[in-house]
Amino acid sequence: MITCHLFLWLAVWTVFSSNQVTDGKRVVVMPMATTSHTKYMVHVAQALARQGHEVWVTIADYIVNKRVLDTTNFTVIELSEFPNNEDFVNSLVEKYFKGQQVDKQILTRNGKEFCDRILGDKSLFEEIKALSPDFFVLNNLPITTMLAIIPYRLGVPFAFVGRLYEPNTQRIPVLHCNIPSYPNGFNHPRNFYKSIAISLDGLSFAVEDPYVYNDAVSRYASEMPFLPMDMLIARAEIWLVETDHILDYPKPTMPNVKLIGGTATGPGKPLPPKFKHFMDDAEEGVVIVSFGSQILSPPTSITQKFLKVLTDLPFKSVFRSNISSPNSDKILTSSWIPQNDLLAHPNTRVFVSHCGKNGQYEALFHAVPVVATPIFGDQFYNAERMRGKGFSETVDLNTVSTDELYTTIVQVATNKSYKQAITKASELFKIEFGVPVEKAAFWLDHVMKYGGDHLRSSGQELPFYQFACLDVYGFFLVCVLLILLTAVCSFYVVCRYIYMKSKIKKD
């Protein structure tokens, strides 16, 4: 009987294994040159490698030198002598702490300069070409979409992975005024004038994308047939968008646009001894504090504010920063922390976070309530969507008092409503998305194996004016104007006829 069961198990395992085997492809992954974006793209690269693909990842040398990323299972293409894009991010952080507004033109210019550096690097292109890649995975951000020119030049299919949900580019037939998004707004209902502004903003973006050069293909691929950038981007086999309808708001998609949640998160791993000992001994609970990889030395006033609060709290704390702890038994400081694994620990009570996308999805996955401290970019949107769903409270680092910060952390840690709300959301998220990086790898493997034609809509083959039916609406408008003109002319002729007839009778 045991032998029969063993043979049955082996048969099932053989069938299952045969379904998992895939023809390995040569894949190049190209993230944005910041630590946070490289982090989740590296997770995708590792998941693809586990499926049997041979993977290369382009990583800037200043990120490689940090040695905070696991680069096993794939080959690094190091971008040497590359301008430090994290210096630009630091400038945005400085503007926040100084109370200054960020000029959107600075963002678009930075994105264009980044792509210009990559696309203009002939030796990098030749190095990638020599790999004979079968597929490209590009970072799905407004400022990196021009990198689609590289696979276009090589005649290789490509996909996008990242946070950008862009109905125009992805040819999703929606009304912009009904889709909450960064930076246009958070919740419904909206007033009429706000809806008009959002609709005009969406239309203007479709007419002219500020993050790309209109002549990008001619500029960087003069040997290739010209394509408008929106038409080239629309050739992607699949978009894997790091959003969902549980943490975020429901959004419509097309078959080749998959909402997958955050690929940076997943089940926790064993903690390094230093962190494990600290966490295991904290029966009263732990507060995790991190403002991201870019902010390790906040202004002194903010640092002192936090140290005062963390000292007074009835919990232990892990504070990601470059400062020295005034009490190492209660406050553990470190310039690097295994954030996902700390959030997975059962003694974690609250996550004080700037609400970057990676950390926010880690908090959701492990059901940890959040005190949000947004600083720039989409972090304000991220913070508001969490607060609106009852997962968090938001404070302004520049203006929050010590007492307010203390009260907010204790409130989120002890009020059961926050934990209950995010626990329910976490359960729903895991049911729907499982481990997001594995879902991402599945879909990328799927389109590498079968292509993406069966997922594409006819709208993704059309220029924007045809997809949006602007030509049809224009025709209707001309018809209406002609009808009105005919009616006015007819009315004028009739009135003229009546007038002339009455005048003749009088004469």
Side-chain angles (χ1 to χ4, degrees):
M1 187 69 176
I2 294 174
T3 305
C4 291
H5 284 164
L6 178 61
F7 277 116
L8 179 60
W9 183 87
L10 286 173
V12 171
W13 183 85
T14 302
V15 172
F16 178 79
S17 298
S18 65
N19 290 334
Q20 299 300 307
V21 173
T22 182
D23 294 330
K25 302 291 186 181
R26 300 169 68 83
V27 185
V28 175
V29 179
M30 303 188 73
M32 179 64 182
T34 61
T35 303
S36 59
H37 290 290
T38 303
K39 176 183 177 180
Y40 69 79
M41 295 292 280
V42 160
H43 286 197
V44 172
Q46 289 171 332
L48 288 173
R50 288 194 294 270
Q51 291 188 335
H53 300 291
E54 192 173 2
V55 185
W56 290 262
V57 183
T58 59
I59 305 180
D61 53 4
Y62 53 85
I63 297 177
V64 173
N65 294 336
K66 284 185 175 183
R67 303 191 184 282
V68 295
L69 298 174
D70 180 4
T71 58
T72 56
N73 300 325
F74 62 84
T75 304
V76 174
I77 300 175
E78 189 168 325
L79 305 176
S80 43
E81 298 182 2
F82 202 80
N84 194 329
N85 200 63
E86 294 189 338
D87 290 340
F88 170 73
V89 177
N90 288 332
S91 70
L92 301 182
V93 173
E94 290 177 8
K95 285 182 178 294
Y96 167 77
F97 287 127
K98 292 178 180 178
Q100 300 173 352
Q101 293 292 322
V102 175
D103 185 352
K104 290 184 180 180
Q105 291 185 352
I106 295 177
L107 299 174
T108 59
R109 185 167 62 249
N110 175 257
K112 288 178 177 177
E113 289 173 355
F114 170 75
C115 289
D116 184 65
R117 190 78 180 205
I118 294 287
L119 296 172
D121 191 332
K122 295 181 180 178
S123 61
L124 175 63
F125 178 78
E126 291 301 324
E127 182 179 357
I128 293 174
K129 182 179 179 180
L131 299 175
S132 300
D134 301 304
F135 200 80
F136 279 78
V137 180
L138 308 176
N139 214 161
N140 188 21
L141 297 168
I143 58 178
T144 56
T145 53
M146 280 197 295
L147 296 186
I149 291 173
I150 294 178
Y152 178 54
R153 292 181 68 185
L154 296 174
V156 175
F158 60 94
F160 285 106
V161 177
R163 62 162 294 274
L164 181 61
Y165 172 87
E166 210 331 279
N168 294 331
T169 303
Q170 294 157 1
R171 298 296 193 258
I172 303 170
V174 300
L175 299 175
H176 285 272
C177 61
N178 292 326
I179 302 296
S181 62
Y182 162 79
N184 290 324
F186 309 123
N187 279 308
H188 294 302
R190 295 196 180 104
N191 62 46
F192 177 68
Y193 298 104
K194 182 70 172 176
S195 295
I196 291 176
I198 291 172
S199 298
L200 290 175
D201 184 58
L203 182 60
S204 66
F205 187 87
V207 172
E208 184 175 5
D209 184 346
Y211 294 100
V212 304
Y213 295 116
N214 292 329
D215 62 343
V217 171
S218 297
R219 183 179 299 206
Y220 300 113
S222 57
E223 76 280 11
M224 303 298 293
F226 176 76
L227 270 179
M229 274 309 302
D230 69 320
M231 292 293 291
L232 174 55
I233 295 167
R235 288 189 173 189
E237 298 292 320
I238 198 166
W239 283 271
L240 302 178
V241 183
E242 294 210 303
T243 188
D244 70 286
H245 55 272
I246 297 167
L247 176 60
D248 210 324
Y249 307 99
K251 293 179 173 69
T253 64
M254 297 304 290
N256 67 341
V257 179
K258 305 294 183 182
L259 308 186
I260 61 170
T263 54
T265 190
K269 299 176 183 177
L271 289 167
K274 176 177 71 171
F275 293 99
K276 177 175 172 53
H277 176 74
F278 186 85
M279 296 295 293
D280 289 346
D281 288 348
E283 295 181 1
E284 68 274 36
V286 181
V287 177
I288 310 298
V289 182
S290 173
F291 307 128
S293 60
Q294 298 297 117
I295 309 174
L296 300 178
S297 301
T300 303
S301 60
I302 291 175
T303 300
Q304 294 304 317
K305 186 189 305 183
F306 264 88
L307 288 178
K308 173 68 169 63
V309 170
L310 298 180
T311 300
D312 294 342
L313 283 172
F315 317 112
K316 284 188 173 184
S317 305
V318 176
F319 187 5
R320 183 178 186 180
S321 66
N322 283 328
I323 64 173
S324 297
S325 172
N327 181 355
S328 58
D329 290 333
K330 187 168 187 182
I331 304 173
L332 173 60
T333 60
S334 176
S335 60
W336 173 84
I337 62 174
Q339 184 169 283
N340 186 68
D341 309 324
L342 288 171
L343 292 172
H345 196 281
N347 287 341
T348 299
R349 299 286 293 274
V350 181
F351 182 31
V352 180
S353 168
H354 65 306
C355 273
K357 174 182 62 63
N358 290 349
Q360 195 172 54
Y361 271 105
E362 289 169 347
L364 173 67
F365 193 88
H366 300 297
V368 179
V370 172
V371 173
T373 61
I375 295 173
F376 70 91
D378 62 345
Q379 295 164 14
F380 295 95
Y381 174 82
N382 295 345
E384 178 58 21
R385 68 186 181 183
M386 284 201 100
R387 189 204 63 79
K389 291 174 180 282
F391 308 156
S392 72
E393 293 294 339
T394 301
V395 299
D396 187 327
L397 285 177
N398 285 333
T399 61
V400 66
S401 68
T402 303
D403 290 342
E404 289 171 334
L405 181 59
Y406 177 93
T407 301
T408 303
I409 294 175
V410 171
Q411 175 186 339
V412 174
T414 59
N415 189 321
K416 293 182 179 179
S417 65
Y418 299 99
K419 182 65 174 179
Q420 289 171 348
I422 200 167
T423 297
K424 178 182 176 181
S426 178
E427 291 172 357
L428 291 171
F429 182 83
K430 290 175 182 177
I431 291 171
E432 182 83 19
F433 298 97
V435 179
V437 71
E438 299 299 336
K439 193 163 188 174
F442 166 81
W443 281 114
L444 291 171
D445 181 74
H446 178 81
V447 296
M448 280 190 270
K449 186 174 183 180
Y450 299 106
D453 289 346
H454 61 294
L455 300 172
R456 298 178 65 81
S457 78
S458 59
Q460 289 166 331
E461 308 295 335
L462 300 174
F464 176 77
Y465 76 90
Q466 288 184 332
F467 163 75
C469 296
L470 297 182
D471 51 347
V472 176
Y473 296 145
F475 173 76
F476 288 158
L477 179 61
V478 169
C479 290
V480 170
L481 291 176
L482 286 174
I483 292 170
L484 288 175
L485 181 62
T486 301
V488 169
C489 290
S490 299
F491 181 74
Y492 174 79
V493 170
V494 170
C495 290
R496 179 71 177 172
Y497 174 77
I498 294 173
Y499 171 76
M500 293 301 295
K501 192 171 182 180
S502 61
K503 186 178 181 181
I504 293 171
K505 285 183 180 180
K506 287 180 181 179
D507 295 340

